[in-house]
Structures are given as C-alpha cells and as structure tokens.
Amino acid sequence: MAASGPELIDGFGRKIDYVRLSVTDRCDFRCVYCMAEDMTFLPRARVLTLEELALIGRAFTELGVRRIRLTGGEPLVRRDILSLVQQLGRLDGLHELTMTTNGSQLTRYARQIRAAGVKRLNISLDSLDPQRFAALTRRDKLDQVVAGIDAAIEAGFERIKLNAVILNGRNDDEILPLVGFARERGIDISFIEEMPLGAISSHNRSETYCSSDEVQRRIAERYSLLPSAETTGGPSRYFRMADSNSRIGFISPHSHNFCDSCNRVRVTVEGLLLLCLGRENAVDLRALLRRHPGDLERLKATICDALQHKPQRHHFALDDQPQVLRFMNMTGG
Ligand code: SAM
Ligand code: SF4
C-alpha cells in the first residue's frame, strides 16, 4: 500500500484536499450575475504576487492538498500567468491543476497552459445567441469564446466542462441548445444555480432563480439521464446520456446543499483564506506573507490552525439579499 501523506482535516472531520486560488479580480467581461457594470479593481499592491501565489500553492500541497484550481476574475488576463501555471504544474504531490476561464483568451493560451500542466478546464458559456451572450456578459465576444473552446479541444485537455448559469427569463430557453453544443463536441456541461454573492442591480435574483431540478426536468424531456456516481472533486452531481460521452452536471448551492461533503477552501485575490464560500470566516495570508516573506513553515501552521475554524455550512437564501458582499470575481468561482 502506498504510504499516506499528510492530510488537512477540519473541525468537522472533513478532509480538505482541494484549493481554489483566485489569481486576479480583473476580467475582460462583466457578467451580470458576477460583477457590476462599473467595477473598481484592486491596486496592484493589494493583490498577491505570483511568488506569493506559488508559495501558497506549495504550502497547501505539502499539507496534503491534491487539487488546485486557478480562477478569478479571469485568470488568463493576469500578466505572466503562464509562469505561475508552470511553477504549480511542477509541484510534487499535486495530482491535478485545473482552471476556470471565460474562454476569451484560449485561442492564444490553450496549448501553453496544457503543456504547463493544466489537466482539466472549465469554460463558462451561458448563451449561444450573440446578442444574448453580449447582454449577459456585457461584451460582444461569443465568436471569440467558441473559437477558444475549440482551441482547448484541439489542445487535448483530459476533460473540458462548460459552466452555464441559468437565469429564468434570460437564458432558460437555451438549456437544450447548450446541451446539444456540448454533445456535438464530446465535452461536459454543468448547470449552476445563481448564488447571492455581491450586490447587483441588473436583475432580481429571486425572480431569475431557476433550480437545478427544473433544468434537469427540461433536459430529461429530450434525453434520458442516467445518474452517475462519478465526481471530479467539486460540488457537481453528474448524469450520463446513453448515446454520448458528454456528462451533465448540476451545481446546486440552493436546492442541494453540499456542505457536508465540502472538501475545499478558497484563497481570494487579496490572500484571504476563505473557509466557506457563503460565509465571511477568513484568515489573512497576505499579511502573514508580507510580515514573514518566504516563511513556508509559518504559512503551513497558519493554514492548519485556520482549518479548525471552517464553518459547518453556508445558509444561502432566496430573498435576494446578498448574504456575502464580496463579488464572485474577488472570491474566485
Ligand atoms: N472568469 C472565469 C469564468 O467566468 O469562468 C472564472 C471566474 S468566474 C467567477 C467562475 C464561475 O463562477 C463562472 O462559471 C461563473 O459563471 C460563476 N459565477 C459567477 N458569479 C456567480 C454567481 N453569482 N452565482 C453562480 N455562479 C457564478
Ligand atoms: Fe468575468 Fe468570470 Fe465574472 Fe464573467 S463570471 S465577469 S467572466 S470573472
């Protein structure tokens, strides 16, 4: 039997082996559910440097984390992102480096990030209609994103998954076309319930709420969905279709609480170790790293202590009040 390595266990006995690292708060899109139209981004000094990000990745890996997902903002707009991907890609003990991207920069970067060690990619796509896409992202770039998805398929990632946030009255009529798009390309797709993060003005979240059960019901009218026990380490529940390699996932923070099996923590772009997406409990790793630059052992000890304060669960509600005032681009989705 292989010797078991170190493990990070929280106060409720959950093993934490997955970290999401937000590498920038900036983005070339302004998705209506994620950002306000006018955003003020952080000054450079408040954002973790690439060296700090790499050290945090190393600390977690040495503590037993096996999966790191890079996110943001849009990770591929961070200058020199490739050098971070390369450093993390070489970490001993890391089984999987993944990234969530809006796809806009993939024609340029897909091959390079694949070669640097990114195994799986999540690409966000909420609409196949150019005008609808432009309304949801506030940018007219559907063609660029579809070209990016095709470049990623060409680059040979182990798995590619589309992420679609479905909003009633906005894009709920695109559920089946999006499934068709994924099937044609042999890639996966997950449907996400919108989360109440950040105060937004573009829509009323309780009116646009579309449950995963409703999305599943509409897909099941066309395709028979076979429940699958597969997991990719995240919160998606997967289904397969008999006649396709594509998997369909549902991420349901409202309707199917997944806190009991939570295996992850997040590090925000400012270096806050966020113990729960839906709560404010956090520890400031940037302050520590700037007081004690390069001190890996102190960083590891702080992370271990922090894990004892990971909350048991979040309490998202549908009353349209953001439960957490951070926008998703700060947190890292
Ligand atoms: N820019 C990249 C992208 O869009 O894929 C990575 C960051 S983005 C914050 C990560 C994921 O969070 C995206 O799939 C996006 O659709 C999702 N997201 C953003 N705001 C959300 C919200 N309020 N509720 C649910 N999902 C959200
Ligand atoms: Fe940018 Fe991603 Fe947020 Fe859209 S969801 S605004 S692409 S960070």
Side-chain angles (χ1 to χ4, degrees):
M1 221 171 72
S4 56
E7 290 190 345
L8 265 181
I9 308 286
D10 78 358
F12 296 96
R14 293 171 297 196
K15 184 168 141 191
I16 307 302
D17 59 5
Y18 183 10
V19 173
R20 296 191 177 201
L21 273 184
S22 178
V23 301
T24 180
D25 59 332
R26 288 163 199 264
C27 186
D28 50 345
F29 290 4
R30 295 285 183 278
C31 301
V32 292
Y33 46 72
C34 177
M35 290 197 188
E37 182 123 38
D38 291 319
M39 293 290 288
T40 308
F41 293 110
L42 292 167
R44 176 112 63 93
R46 286 180 54 187
V47 171
L48 291 175
T49 64
L50 293 179
E51 291 71 26
E52 288 166 342
L53 283 162
L55 197 71
I56 289 173
R58 182 169 162 204
F60 274 110
T61 309
E62 290 189 8
L63 287 169
V65 161
R66 296 291 162 253
R67 241 174 282 131
I68 295 180
R69 173 171 295 281
L70 300 180
T71 180
E74 174 46 40
L76 293 178
V77 303
R78 170 104 196 220
R79 192 169 339 143
D80 296 332
I81 183 69
L82 267 183
S83 75
L84 176 67
V85 173
Q86 283 158 349
Q87 288 182 69
L88 296 175
R90 284 195 292 266
L91 282 175
D92 264 350
L94 189 66
H95 293 178
E96 209 174 45
L97 182 61
T98 60
M99 183 183 281
T100 303
T101 170
N102 65 23
S104 70
Q105 310 298 313
L106 282 174
T107 49
R108 174 167 167 217
Y109 278 123
R111 268 182 196 288
Q112 299 176 76
I113 58 174
R114 178 70 189 101
V118 173
K119 286 192 179 161
R120 288 191 293 123
L121 215 51
N122 286 358
I123 309 174
S124 301
L125 180 69
D126 303 327
S127 174
L128 294 166
D129 173 84
Q131 282 179 354
R132 187 77 76 68
F133 182 94
L136 286 168
T137 61
R138 301 193 181 102
R139 296 292 183 271
D140 183 10
K141 291 192 178 163
L142 176 63
D143 287 351
Q144 196 174 317
V145 169
V146 172
I149 294 169
D150 289 333
I153 294 170
E154 193 69 17
F157 289 89
E158 285 179 10
R159 285 209 94 97
I160 296 175
K161 178 165 74 86
L162 303 177
N163 276 345
V165 176
I166 298 298
L167 305 181
N168 250 341
R170 296 284 177 103
N171 64 344
D172 59 314
D173 56 344
E174 294 208 53
I175 296 168
L176 286 175
L178 284 164
V179 171
F181 180 92
R183 284 168 56 97
E184 275 164 28
R185 287 166 169 77
I187 59 180
D188 299 338
I189 181 162
S190 277
F191 292 96
I192 307 177
E193 291 176 352
E194 185 184 11
M195 286 177 266
L197 298 174
I200 54 166
S201 57
S202 69
H203 56 282
N204 178 330
R205 282 175 165 145
S206 51
E207 284 169 20
T208 53
Y209 174 67
C210 184
S211 73
S212 292
D213 289 348
E214 175 61 17
V215 176
Q216 184 177 339
R217 192 188 61 72
R218 295 204 211 168
I219 299 172
E221 283 176 0
R222 170 79 71 86
Y223 304 106
S224 51
L225 293 177
L226 317 164
S228 159
E230 290 165 280
T231 163
T232 49
S236 269
R237 295 171 293 120
Y238 283 106
F239 291 80
R240 281 205 174 265
M241 295 166 284
D243 59 344
S244 167
N245 280 333
S246 298
R247 290 180 297 186
I248 297 192
F250 297 98
I251 302 177
S252 324
H254 288 288
S255 57
H256 294 259
N257 183 283
F258 39 70
C259 300
D260 285 347
S261 57
C262 183
N263 61 344
R264 73 206 76 111
V265 290
R266 294 172 159 81
V267 178
T268 71
V269 66
E270 291 187 275
L272 279 183
L273 168 57
L274 209 62
L275 297 159
C276 171
L277 178 60
R279 305 282 289 263
E280 301 284 9
N281 310 49
V283 173
D284 188 349
L285 299 182
R286 185 190 66 196
L288 176 92
L289 282 172
R290 298 205 176 159
R291 251 194 330 269
H292 306 281
D295 191 340
L296 183 63
E297 292 312 314
R298 196 182 288 260
L299 179 59
K300 282 161 62 175
T302 305
I303 292 171
C304 286
D305 282 354
L307 258 283
Q308 299 321 305
H309 304 287
K310 183 170 163 62
Q312 189 168 17
R313 51 170 300 153
H314 65 242
H315 297 278
F316 287 152
L318 279 175
D319 58 9
D320 210 41
Q321 293 308 308
Q323 257 105 77
V324 172
L325 292 173
R326 276 175 275 108
F327 281 104
M328 192 67 155
N329 71 307
M330 300 287 295
T331 308

